[in-house]
């Protein structure tokens, strides 16, 4: 019997009505087999009593009896299928959290391979087999496994959502298209999906482009960090070298100062020791004479006393110590002189560094164009709030270009000028008579009428500038909050404003007296005060 069942195909054991393995199979006079229940219900609905397969009509409803042979064959086939399914299920993967389980499996749920939109059921590989082999089930629409298949059915008509309403932008069933959405524009779901896929492809391309741009930005940032690290390493190495040299110079100068002071002290001590030695020798000689005089005065030998009197009566020859003294050496000015010499030495060592730094910041040179429409009364350069005299009122001017980020550098020629103010300022404050300081939005260096220079800090800082600057360079790093002033010709740093908080646009700033017949113009990126 088992051998015979192996020769039969799966379709021979399936009822063409329920598309499942026969249950209580009966044979009609025409020879076709059906489940007893299926054919009974089929004839109960239809008026004609005919075979569902060959359409043969029976005038009298045939008496239905279970075909034992086919029933046994179907039972064996069912058992064989269940055994194969059990074996196949053991090789398949169990459904993990987040995966769609098979709706047919009992006990342990296996991972679903497909979902049927007609049956509204998800199937594992084994239970999907009838949908792949049975002609009737092959017509069902299979999709990748999804949960909530009921959500793909119209809640109103209980029909599959097959259409997409472009008017309401929602999925509808076939009955919705002739009722609620009758006047709307709708297309098959598959057609709309193709359009959406095209839009998604465009979105995907845009996202990919955005990803590429951000990956490029990451590379730029990494390169900037690498460059910054190289620059930092270079500056650290240069700084260590410079400060080592400065430290050695300071230590040498300190050693020379100490040696000089100690040399003076040794000279004083040696002089004192010479005087003391000479005095001690005279004391010894005087003590010896005193002893001889005492002995002679006690002598009873009159002849000896008289003969020795002339030689012992006078004191032995000694030095006149009245004007002799040991004067402590003067150290006034010793430290100041040493510091001054050290300052000159350090200045000579620092100059190559300032020259190199000046060359680096000059690469950020900008072309300064002054704005004739932005000329105002100059703010006071002192901490006093006295009103400026109208007859001597000065003028100030800003550049046309302002800066809100980055670095920039410009130079101002101040030769032959006795009074000038150079730096950067916030335009918002320039109309008001106020004190020049970072608090009021000015970062400047000034020259006074009677000579002398100062940084307009809070309070002002007097500057010692020698020689007199002829060209002043100004470097600004907006993000770092740094404003440096340089004597360009002397390659010297004049002053630094550090820790500045720039939040607004800042402009190059110039000021000089208007009643001096002074003109301001730009030439070769250098602002000239004439």
């Amino acid at each position: 019997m088992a051998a015979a069942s192996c020769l039969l195909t799966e379709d021979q054991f399936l009822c063409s009505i329920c598309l499942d393995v026969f249950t209580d199979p009966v044979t009609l006079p025409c020879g076709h087999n059906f489940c007893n229940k299926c054919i009974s219900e089929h004839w109960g609905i239809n008026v004609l009593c005919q075979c569902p397969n060959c359409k043969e009509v029976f005038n009298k409803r045939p008496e239905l009896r279970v075909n034992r042979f086919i029933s046994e064959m179907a039972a064996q086939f069912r058992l064989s299928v269940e055994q194969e399914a059990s074996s196949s299920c053991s090789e398949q993967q169990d459904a993990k959290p987040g995966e769609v389980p098979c709706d047919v499996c009992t006990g342990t749920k296996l991972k679903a391979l497909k979902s049927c939109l007609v049956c509204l059921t998800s199937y594992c590989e084994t239970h999907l087999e009838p949908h792949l082999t049975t002609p009737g089930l092959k017509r069902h629409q299979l999709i990748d496994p999804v949960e909530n298949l009921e959500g793909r059915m119209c809640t109103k008509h209980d029909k599959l959502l097959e259409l997409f309403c472009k008017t309401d932008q929602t999925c509808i069933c076939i009955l919705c298209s002739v009722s609620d959405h009758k006047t709307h524009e709708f297309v098959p779901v598959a057609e709309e999906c193709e359009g959406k896929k095209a839009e998604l492809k465009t979105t995907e391309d845009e996202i990919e482009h955005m990803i590429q741009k951000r990956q490029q930005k990451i590379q730029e940032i990494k390169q900037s960090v690498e460059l910054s690290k190289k620059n930092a390493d270079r500056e650290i190495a240069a700084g260590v070298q410079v400060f080592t040299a400065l430290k050695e110079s300071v230590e040498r100068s300190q050693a020379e100062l100490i040696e000089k002071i100690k040399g003076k002290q040794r000279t004083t001590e040696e002089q004192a020791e010479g005087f003391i030695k000479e005095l001690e020798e005279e004391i010894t000689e005087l003590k010896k004479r005193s002893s001889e005089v005492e002995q002679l005065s006690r002598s009873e030998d009159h002849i000896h006393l008289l003969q020795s009197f002339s030689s012992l009566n006078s004191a032995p020859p000694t030095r006149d110590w009245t004007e002799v003294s040991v004067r402590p050496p003067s150290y006034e000015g010793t430290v100041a002189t040493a510091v001054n010499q050290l300052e000159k030495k350090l200045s000579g060592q620092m100059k190559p560094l300032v020259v190199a730094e000046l060359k680096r910041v000059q690469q950020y040179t900008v072309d300064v164009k002054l704005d004739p429409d932005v000329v105002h009364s100059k703010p006071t350069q002192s901490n006093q709030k006295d009103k400026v005299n109208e007859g001597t009122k000065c003028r100030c001017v800003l550049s046309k270009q302002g800066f809100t980020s980055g670095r920039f550098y410009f130079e101002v020629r101040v030769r032959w000028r006795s009074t000038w103010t150079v730096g950067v300022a916030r335009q918002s404050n320039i109309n008001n008579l106020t004190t020049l300081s970072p608090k009021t939005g000015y970062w400047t260096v000034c020259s006074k009428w009677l000579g002398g220079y100062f940084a307009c800090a809070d309070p002002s800082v007097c500057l010692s500038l020698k020689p007199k600057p002829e060209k002043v360079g100004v470097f600004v790093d907006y993000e770092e909050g740094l404003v440096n002033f340089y004597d360009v010709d002397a390659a010297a740093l004049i002053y630094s404003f550090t820790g500045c908080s720039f939040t607004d646009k800042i402009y190059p700033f110039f000021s000089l007296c208007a009643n001096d017949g002074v003109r301001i113009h730009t030439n070769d990126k250098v602002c000239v005060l004439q």
Side-chain angles (χ1 to χ4, degrees):
M1 182 66 69
S5 65
C6 294
L7 298 176
L8 300 175
T9 63
E10 180 180 356
D11 291 344
Q12 293 175 296
F13 294 97
L14 298 180
C15 171
S16 60
I17 297 177
C18 67
L19 301 177
D20 201 352
V21 178
F22 289 123
T23 301
D24 297 332
V26 294
T27 303
L28 301 185
C30 62
H32 292 113
N33 301 299
F34 302 93
C35 296
N36 190 0
K37 182 178 178 180
C38 292
I39 190 64
S40 298
E41 290 179 352
H42 178 75
W43 283 345
I45 296 174
N46 295 278
V47 177
L48 292 177
C49 184
Q50 63 179 3
C51 175
N53 286 352
C54 64
K55 306 302 180 182
E56 181 179 346
V57 178
F58 305 108
N59 295 325
K60 182 181 179 181
R61 183 171 179 170
E63 183 180 354
L64 300 178
R65 294 184 180 181
V66 176
N67 189 322
R68 301 298 179 187
F69 175 76
I70 295 178
S71 179
E72 292 178 2
M73 294 289 290
Q76 291 186 16
F77 177 77
R78 187 189 299 275
L79 179 62
S80 175
V81 169
E82 290 178 354
Q83 291 176 347
E84 290 180 1
S86 176
S87 176
S88 176
C89 288
S90 64
E91 297 177 359
Q92 297 182 51
Q93 297 180 351
D94 295 342
K96 299 177 181 178
E99 295 179 339
V100 179
C102 175
D103 294 328
V104 181
C105 288
T106 58
T108 302
K109 296 286 187 179
L110 299 181
K111 177 181 177 181
L113 189 64
K114 290 289 182 180
S115 294
C116 178
L117 293 179
V118 177
C119 302
L120 297 180
T121 306
S122 297
Y123 299 100
C124 63
E125 182 178 359
T126 300
H127 294 122
L128 180 65
E129 185 66 23
H131 279 75
L132 302 178
T133 58
T134 303
L137 296 179
K138 285 183 179 181
R139 293 191 295 269
H140 291 190
Q141 184 177 356
L142 299 177
I143 61 172
D144 291 335
V146 293
E147 294 181 342
N148 189 26
L149 286 168
E150 292 78 5
R152 298 172 181 271
M153 302 295 291
C154 176
T155 56
K156 184 175 182 180
H157 303 105
D158 198 26
K159 295 289 185 180
L160 185 64
L161 300 174
E162 300 179 272
L163 301 175
F164 181 80
C165 177
K166 300 177 76 67
T167 305
D168 292 342
Q169 292 291 301
T170 185
C171 295
I172 61 176
C173 69
I174 191 68
L175 295 180
C176 290
S177 65
V178 295
S179 57
D180 299 342
H181 300 263
K182 182 177 181 180
T183 60
H184 295 179
E185 179 185 1
F186 49 85
V187 294
V189 168
E191 180 179 335
E192 181 64 20
C193 282
E194 291 301 319
K196 298 299 184 185
K197 287 181 179 179
E199 293 180 14
L200 291 175
K201 183 62 171 63
T202 302
T203 303
E204 181 183 0
D205 293 341
E206 292 176 355
I207 294 175
E208 182 63 28
H209 181 64
M210 294 173 65
I211 292 173
Q212 291 176 359
K213 288 182 66 176
R214 280 151 181 76
Q215 289 175 338
Q216 292 175 358
K217 182 59 66 176
I218 290 175
Q219 293 302 316
E220 291 178 9
I221 294 174
K222 287 183 177 180
Q223 290 174 0
S224 297
V225 171
E226 185 64 25
L227 179 60
S228 175
K229 184 177 183 302
K230 290 180 180 179
N231 292 338
D233 292 341
R234 183 182 65 249
E235 289 299 316
I236 290 174
V240 170
Q241 182 179 359
V242 169
F243 278 95
T244 300
L246 294 177
K247 180 180 177 182
E248 292 174 353
S249 296
V250 172
E251 290 176 347
R252 281 196 300 269
S253 297
Q254 179 185 3
E256 292 172 359
L257 174 63
I258 295 173
E259 182 58 32
K260 184 176 182 178
I261 295 174
K262 287 185 176 181
K264 288 185 178 182
Q265 178 63 20
R266 281 196 301 269
T267 300
T268 302
E269 291 176 355
E270 290 174 357
Q271 184 184 36
E273 289 174 358
F275 290 155
I276 292 171
K277 182 178 181 182
E278 188 175 350
L279 287 168
E280 288 176 345
E281 290 176 352
E282 289 186 359
I283 290 172
T284 300
E285 186 63 28
L286 289 172
K287 285 182 178 180
K288 180 180 178 183
R289 178 63 61 88
S290 175
S291 178
E292 291 175 349
V293 169
E294 182 182 358
Q295 290 178 4
L296 183 60
S297 63
R298 295 176 181 177
S299 175
E300 298 296 332
D301 187 349
H302 302 292
I303 300 297
H304 175 67
L305 188 150
L306 293 174
Q307 290 177 343
S308 303
F309 178 80
S310 58
S311 60
L312 296 177
N313 186 41
S314 61
T318 57
R319 183 174 179 176
D320 183 5
W321 293 94
T322 304
E323 301 297 331
V324 176
S325 64
V326 176
R327 297 179 180 178
S330 174
Y331 298 109
E332 284 74 9
T334 304
V335 176
T337 301
V339 171
N340 186 48
Q341 293 175 347
L342 175 61
E343 184 179 357
K344 292 181 179 179
K345 185 184 298 182
L346 295 181
S347 179
Q349 291 178 334
M350 290 294 295
K351 186 167 184 178
L353 297 176
V354 179
V355 171
E357 179 181 333
L358 192 55
K359 288 182 178 179
R360 285 201 300 270
V361 300
Q362 283 175 335
Q363 67 178 320
Y364 300 103
T365 299
V366 295
D367 188 3
V368 177
K369 295 184 182 297
L370 301 182
D371 190 349
D373 296 328
V374 188
V375 179
H376 306 273
S377 298
K378 178 183 177 183
T380 178
Q381 297 178 6
S382 68
N383 291 325
Q384 299 178 353
K385 299 296 183 178
D386 296 337
K387 188 176 180 180
V388 178
N389 185 285
E390 290 295 332
T392 60
K393 184 176 290 186
C394 294
R395 310 289 282 176
C396 58
V397 63
L398 296 180
S399 68
K400 288 185 176 181
Q401 182 182 6
F403 301 87
T404 57
S405 63
R407 304 166 184 169
F408 63 93
Y409 172 86
F410 62 93
E411 295 180 353
V412 181
R413 194 179 302 279
V414 296
R415 188 179 182 182
W416 303 308
R417 298 303 314 142
S418 57
T419 299
W420 48 263
T421 303
V422 174
V424 293
R426 290 199 303 260
Q427 185 182 24
S428 58
N429 289 342
I430 198 168
N431 288 317
N432 301 321
L433 185 64
T434 184
T435 301
L436 288 179
S437 76
K439 289 184 178 180
T440 57
Y442 297 90
W443 296 266
T444 57
V445 168
C446 302
S447 170
K448 295 182 180 180
W449 276 107
L450 300 178
Y453 305 89
F454 66 96
C456 300
D458 190 18
S460 299
V461 178
C462 293
L463 304 173
S464 177
L465 304 182
K466 295 180 181 179
K468 181 179 179 180
E470 295 187 358
K471 187 190 297 181
V472 176
V474 183
F475 171 70
V476 178
D477 190 325
Y478 195 98
E479 282 74 22
E480 290 294 327
L482 174 69
V483 183
N484 279 354
F485 295 84
Y486 299 91
D487 183 339
V488 178
D489 297 324
L493 179 65
I494 295 176
Y495 189 77
S496 289
F497 288 97
T498 58
C500 307
S501 179
F502 300 131
T503 56
D504 300 326
K505 184 177 290 188
I506 56 176
Y507 300 79
F509 172 87
F510 313 93
S511 177
L512 65 166
C513 288
N515 61 350
D516 232 359
V518 179
R519 292 182 297 112
I520 306 177
H521 69 87
T522 56
N523 182 21
D524 296 330
K525 298 184 180 180
V526 178
C527 182
V528 183
L529 306 183
Q530 297 181 336

